[in-house]
């Protein structure tokens, strides 16, 4: 069982190192024939790298998907906000208790249209990770989100959310301030909206912490994101008293994008540049841009009542039950 | 479905799970499974709960035909589920129905912890949803008795989505003026607490019930401050503003009846619908 | 300057002591003539007591009004709830942070009609006073009130509030959890209501803490209650750097019920039994019952939109301004 | 009313109220009264604020005819008020108007602390209310700059009622889709903070502004816990979730313009009314 996404990216990193060195040789080579030869070899190496990435990423197992969904170089919410929106003004207060940096949000322009953006935010440096509590939001994070959702409704702004959290914060303080109520109230607030709501699962869709801001008219999921009712390690701990069996649990939980699509729980998988979104963030953003544009057009054309009803109906249909013939 | 269980045999004994004192089973039963020594409220089976609260003979089960589908083919799930059905005589962890409460008709849903820890998969989520929707369509208050360890992981992401689905049904109650009262019993946890349970109009809990988002071990590891002695008990949640009141079992019926009468008052006087 | 309402009630208490003793003499007296004589004297003492009370209470100065409004034996919110309503079920949670016992509230039946009652609650024992923080509510008290107001709206229940607080809690914790926001949001929530809202100022109408739950269609004020923008001691401290000049400040602030009525800031003064509401709480409750009944009938007959508009218009008209002829 | 004040005489000096360094008055003025050494944001007069934020020459004063009435005949009030008028050239603590912000028309209200501590009596309450109502009637965003010690006690209960009156006007903005942005400047206190100021859609503060419900001395006496060093500063309120952001004076114009453009976007595209 792999411990990090770096394990299978090691050959790539080595290849890229070689390519880089050879490229400097190409530049330095005076003889045109010899230069051509070297350039061909570089191109060959690049093809090999691409082929490897394409093969490797097309057959990632569920556990490897978990690892890549959690990978630090993966683009985070603020990366996409910077790439996709203009004039983002972050609004911080929940107006009740505190400022939670595990969820960011505020108004922004998407192709000149005002929208309200809300998303979980991880950190890259140790300091930022601590400040953002590893994107594990506390009650005040969800209450800030609620405030922004309600503001969007008042000003007829579509809502766009980015989902990327291991889980909601489970600490003693979060319990005492009602983390459960905050998550439930956030979902409730999203069901009350009559503006269009679009969500994109960009990394870890971690249980209640994720669904708390993912009650949308349409939910997109990036190819290598995961979405799960419980972290695989937690599942393994409960089922087999063996948290290290996370890989087995990941397989059992079917937490990958293709499973979520198959069960009708997300609406569309967003293909990532091969080798993952982190290899080409602007290409990944472009894909998101296109589905957001289409989604805003589609739901923008609906009546407010129809948007609210569609959202409720979308979730109403979820679940697989049988009916006993005689009861 | 067996509705009234057999009375305990005369002279049988049980032990209080809290104070460990030995009690006559018949007396224990007559005292609503509340220990006469320490007041501990032991867990009730779903039909004991129904008998305790609602008018005699007024309960009619609904949605009984729903069965789990094992959509993921999750390891051992089909087996465990079949065993639970066998052992409890129930088809899943939630029982729906209508009943009357001091004469007022209500839509009810009762979780039974003895069925796979009261966990919420597609069937439980569908039943909770229908109980709330029935309140809306038939213009009556909804009472849900919670007893659950959380979402049922064996149904994967489908279980998580039940959180949203049940919340949508609560939204429908709220925007249609239907009162919804949640009664937390031991335990009310995780995905259930973080969805329909916590957004009821009124939340009542039985004394000492365990109520929380995360397992206590996880919370304590995650927290930096000190952990209160009563952490994740009903008493802790009352102080934290998450509950409206803690009601002893013997007063539950009258409290719920008053609330339904008052919050549902407008349903009595409104013009009949469609 | 009196320090306590007991100062002018001392003669009464002495008289009542005498009356009590004489009554036992009457009962013990075998001779009918002598008994008649004694009984006449008792009646005479009672007349004198009543005359004293009537005179004294009809000419209480502003500062004495402040003292009586704060007096411990005065009926508090829960006393009136018990006297006027049936089936009161107290609901405690703000669903955000805590349970504040300085404000109580919940549904109740008023003459068989479901209503939502909310009020400040003082304590009589030292223990209860501490538990209720002297009726100085924290943010969670106002947030509980907001929750109850919104619930009343969902279930078409009229709202009745009882106002009796020296002030909102000014402590460091209340500041950090947004006591200002909570008061403002509570007023906002009351302006959003379309159900009838009636308020009764029963004791101390203490500045922001009071108006926070007093945004009603009709505001009643008991005869001996006070309603002020600032406690007189605070006013004296600011103006004259002499908190002990509270009596002067009380006069300057015009915080009595007749002033409030004269400026059109309350709609009706509720006469109290002579000697104050505490001498006959059930008589005081009866007066409140009658105006509540009339108020519920009057506003119950209005449309929801008209009720909301009337409430906004009521407060819109408050304030005394002049217009300069040339500007 | 004098709109542009005279420039400071060349060579004049001022002292920073925070770091006590001596500054050239002209430089200080050019730097928007922000100390170049310590970044301290000194209080602005109302017209300096308007010049700082809005498009040049776009300000038109409204509601200038309103005058205080001394309804209580409060000791010394008439005198103090007359002196304040004399000293400041203002008629009361709040100045209303319309202006444009990067071309977008907005309704504005500016409190000036130099007039009786920016306190809110009937005139200030009426003006705040009208600025908000003008936003509703003319379909434009509202920006209110707060600078106030609280309610004006010399107008007694009438001042307290301004809290409710202004809140009603905020409610009208909210239910009519009119964005309302509050800018807290040093100081924003008491009855102003506990009414219209705290329920703006977006709340911005200048750095280090004093913001609080009660006087710091009262708070400290009332509290049991320890008092944070930054108690009742903008930075404290940001951490407490009461503000959306702290914006330096030089960025205020662009932040406000962005917010008005985005939150008021629907006002641009809607069909013209009445
Ligand atoms: Zn026991
Ligand atoms: Zn300086």
């Amino acid at each position: 069982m792999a411990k990090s996404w770096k394990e299978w990216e090691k050959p790539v990193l080595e290849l890229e190192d070689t390519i880089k060195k050879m490229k400097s040789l190409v530049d330095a080579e005076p003889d045109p024939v010899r230069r051509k030869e070297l350039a061909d070899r570089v191109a060959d190496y690049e093809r090999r790298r691409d082929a490897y990435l394409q093969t490797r990423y097309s057959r990632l197992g569920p556990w490897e998907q978990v690892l890549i969904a959690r990978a630090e170089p993966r683009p985070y919410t603020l990366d996409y906000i910077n790439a996709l929106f203009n004039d983002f003004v972050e609004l911080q207060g929940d107006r009740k208790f505190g400022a939670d940096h595990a969820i960011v949000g505020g108004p922004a322009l998407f192709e000149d249209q005002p929208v309200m953006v809300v998303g979980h935010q991880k950190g890259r440096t140790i300091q930022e990770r601590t400040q953002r509590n590893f994107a594990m939001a506390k009650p005040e994070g969800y209450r800030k989100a609620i405030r922004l959702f309600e503001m969007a409704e008042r000003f007829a702004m579509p809502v766009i959310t980015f989902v990327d959290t291991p889980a909601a914060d489970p600490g003693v303080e979060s319990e005492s301030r009602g983390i459960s109520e905050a998550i439930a109230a956030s979902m409730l607030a999203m069901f009350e909206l009559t503006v269009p709501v679009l969500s994109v699962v960009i990394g870890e869709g971690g249980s209640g912490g994720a669904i708390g801001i993912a009650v949308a008219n349409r939910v997109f999921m990036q190819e290598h994101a995961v979405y799960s009712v419980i972290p695989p390690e937690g599942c393994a701990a409960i089922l087999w008293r063996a948290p290290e069996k996370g890989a087995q649990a990941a397989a059992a939980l079917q937490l990958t994008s293709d499973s979520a699509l198959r069960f009708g729980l997300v609406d569309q998988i967003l293909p990532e540049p091969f080798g993952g979104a982190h290899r080409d963030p602007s290409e990944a953003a472009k894909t998101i841009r296109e589905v957001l544009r289409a989604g805003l057009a589609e739901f923008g054309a609906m009546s407010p009542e129809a948007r609210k009803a569609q959202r409720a109906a979308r979730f109403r249909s979820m679940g697989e039950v049988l009916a006993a013939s005689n009861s | 479905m067996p509705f009234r269980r057999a009375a305990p045999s005369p002279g049988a004994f049980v032990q209080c799970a809290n104070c460990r004192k030995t009690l006559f089973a018949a007396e224990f039963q007559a005292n609503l499974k509340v220990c006469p020594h320490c007041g501990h409220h032991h867990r009730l089976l779903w039909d004991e709960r129904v008998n305790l609260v609602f008018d005699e003979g007024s309960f009619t089960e609904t949605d009984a035909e729903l069965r789990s589908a094992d959509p993921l083919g999750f390891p051992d799930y089909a087996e465990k589920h079949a065993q639970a059905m066998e052992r409890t005589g129930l088809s899943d962890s939630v029982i729906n129905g209508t009943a009357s409460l001091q004469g007022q008709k209500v839509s009810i849903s009762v979780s039974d912890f003895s069925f796979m820890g009261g966990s919420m998969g597609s069937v439980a989520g569908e039943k909770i949803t229908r109980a709330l929707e029935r309140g809306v369509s038939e213009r009556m208050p909804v009472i849900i008795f919670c007893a659950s360890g959380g979402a049922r992981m064996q149904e994967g992401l489908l279980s998580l989505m039940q959180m949203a689905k049940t919340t949508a049904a609560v939204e429908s109650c709220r925007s249609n003026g239907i009162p919804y009262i949640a009664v937390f019993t031991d335990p009310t946890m995780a995905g259930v607490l973080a969805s329909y349970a916590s957004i009821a109009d009124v939340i009542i809990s039985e004394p000492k019930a365990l109520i929380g988002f995360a397992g206590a071990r996880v919370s304590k590891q995650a927290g930096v401050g000190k952990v209160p002695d009563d952490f994740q008990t009903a008493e802790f949640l009352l102080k934290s503003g998450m509950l409206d009141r803690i009601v002893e079992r013997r007063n539950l019926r009258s409290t719920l009846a008053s609330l339904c009468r008052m919050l549902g008052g407008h349903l009595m006087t409104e013009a009949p619908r469609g």
Side-chain angles (χ1 to χ4, degrees), chain B residues 124-164:
Chain B
E126 180 68 22
K127 283 189 162 183
I128 296 288
T129 301
R130 289 196 191 179
L132 291 158
E133 289 174 342
R134 188 167 287 114
V136 174
S137 62
E138 302 185 23
R139 309 292 299 161
M140 57 189 171
V142 180
I143 302 176
I144 298 184
F145 298 89
C146 306
S148 175
R152 185 173 290 169
M153 64 185 168
Q154 291 91 343
E155 294 188 22
L157 195 57
L158 287 156
S159 291
L160 186 71
M161 293 302 146
Q162 304 310 306
M163 290 174 65

Side-chain angles (χ1 to χ4, degrees), chain A residues 14-323:
Chain A
E14 283 168 5
L15 256 175
E16 289 193 324
D17 205 43
T18 309
I19 290 167
K20 202 173 158 194
K21 279 178 197 154
M22 285 177 64
K23 274 186 170 166
S24 64
L25 289 180
V26 173
D27 293 343
E29 179 57 56
D31 175 22
V33 178
R34 183 108 181 84
R35 184 158 63 224
K36 172 77 170 64
E37 220 177 85
L38 275 169
D40 286 351
R41 276 176 60 195
V42 167
D44 183 49
Y45 276 124
E46 284 178 335
R47 265 193 302 277
R48 279 161 64 183
R49 176 198 60 191
D50 292 354
Y52 172 82
L53 281 173
Q54 200 139 23
T55 324
R56 194 66 190 80
Y57 272 81
S58 67
R59 61 168 199 228
L60 290 178
W63 176 249
E64 290 165 328
Q65 295 280 21
V66 170
L67 293 177
I68 196 67
R70 293 175 182 171
E72 309 89 59
R74 215 173 150 77
Y76 294 155
T77 292
L78 282 174
D79 299 316
Y80 287 123
I81 289 180
N82 288 331
L84 295 168
F85 303 94
N86 292 316
D87 276 21
F88 174 61
V89 179
E90 189 186 346
L91 305 182
Q92 294 188 21
D94 73 336
R95 304 279 170 88
K96 302 280 175 280
F97 185 86
D100 188 340
H101 301 291
I103 288 182
V104 297
L109 293 174
F110 178 80
E111 302 187 333
D112 294 332
Q113 181 181 8
V115 295
M116 187 65 77
V117 193
V118 173
H120 303 102
Q121 180 62 37
K122 295 183 172 179
R124 286 217 170 77
T125 64
I126 289 178
Q127 198 186 1
E128 200 195 350
R129 269 178 226 176
T130 309
Q131 186 215 8
R132 301 198 181 276
N133 196 31
F134 307 90
M136 297 192 294
K138 296 180 172 149
E140 33 283 13
Y142 294 99
R143 289 176 187 146
K144 168 171 63 180
I146 292 170
R147 218 196 106 213
L148 299 180
F149 297 149
E150 291 173 348
M151 197 188 300
E153 179 76 12
R154 282 202 296 284
F155 304 132
M157 300 161 79
V159 170
I160 295 168
T161 75
F162 292 97
V163 178
D164 189 15
T165 180
D169 179 71
V172 172
E173 292 218 328
S174 283
E175 288 270 8
S176 81
R177 295 198 296 272
I179 184 67
S180 299
E181 190 276 345
I183 290 171
S186 183
M187 290 192 289
L188 183 65
M190 295 186 88
F191 277 118
E192 287 171 343
L193 296 174
T194 67
V195 293
V197 184
L198 304 174
S199 291
V200 191
V201 184
I202 60 171
E204 288 184 273
S207 61
I211 188 70
I213 62 165
V215 174
N217 293 96
R218 190 141 294 165
V219 179
F220 306 102
M221 186 167 173
Q222 282 189 315
E223 186 182 350
H224 299 304
V226 293
Y227 203 174
S228 181
V229 68
I230 186 171
E233 296 91 331
C235 177
I238 293 172
L239 277 189
W240 307 302
R241 308 205 176 278
E244 68 282 4
K245 289 191 180 164
Q248 264 169 268
L253 286 167
Q254 305 191 24
L255 40 60
T256 56
S257 57
D258 53 348
S259 296
L261 183 69
R262 182 160 45 85
F263 288 119
L265 307 180
V266 304
D267 300 291
Q268 192 176 335
I269 297 177
L270 307 185
E272 298 188 22
F274 63 76
H278 57 292
R279 300 218 151 253
D280 194 347
S282 72
E283 183 61 28
K286 207 180 130 199
T287 307
I288 296 179
R289 179 184 292 279
E290 279 158 20
V291 296
L292 291 184
R293 185 190 295 137
L296 291 179
E298 179 183 349
F299 290 101
M302 269 189 191
S303 75
E305 300 70 32
R307 287 192 284 251
K308 185 181 172 198
Q310 187 274 348
R311 199 177 313 113
R314 184 185 181 281
F315 287 90
R316 179 66 188 87
S317 70
M318 292 180 184
E320 304 261 327
V321 297
L322 306 174

Side-chain angles (χ1 to χ4, degrees), chain B residues 15-21 23 34-40 42:
Chain B
Q15 195 185 33
C16 172
N18 183 48
C19 71
R20 299 284 158 198
K21 289 220 170 105
L23 314 166
V34 177
C35 172
H37 302 289
C38 71
H40 185 73
H42 293 77

Side-chain angles (χ1 to χ4, degrees), chain B residues 240-251:
Chain B
S240 304
M242 302 305 148
L243 302 180
D244 286 308
R245 33 195 321 121
I246 293 173
V247 176
E248 288 184 30
R249 202 164 275 169
R250 63 197 160 91
N251 297 325

Side-chain angles (χ1 to χ4, degrees), chain B residues 173-180 198-203 238-245 255 258-259 261-266:
Chain B
C173 283
R174 289 171 76 91
S175 55
N176 284 285
I178 298 302
Y180 154 41
S198 285
I199 45 176
D201 294 304
V202 175
I203 303 179
L238 186 69
K239 276 185 289 186
S240 304
M242 302 305 148
L243 302 180
D244 286 308
R245 33 195 321 121
T255 302
S258 284
L259 285 170
R261 205 158 40 232
M262 294 190 287
L263 304 185
H266 62 295

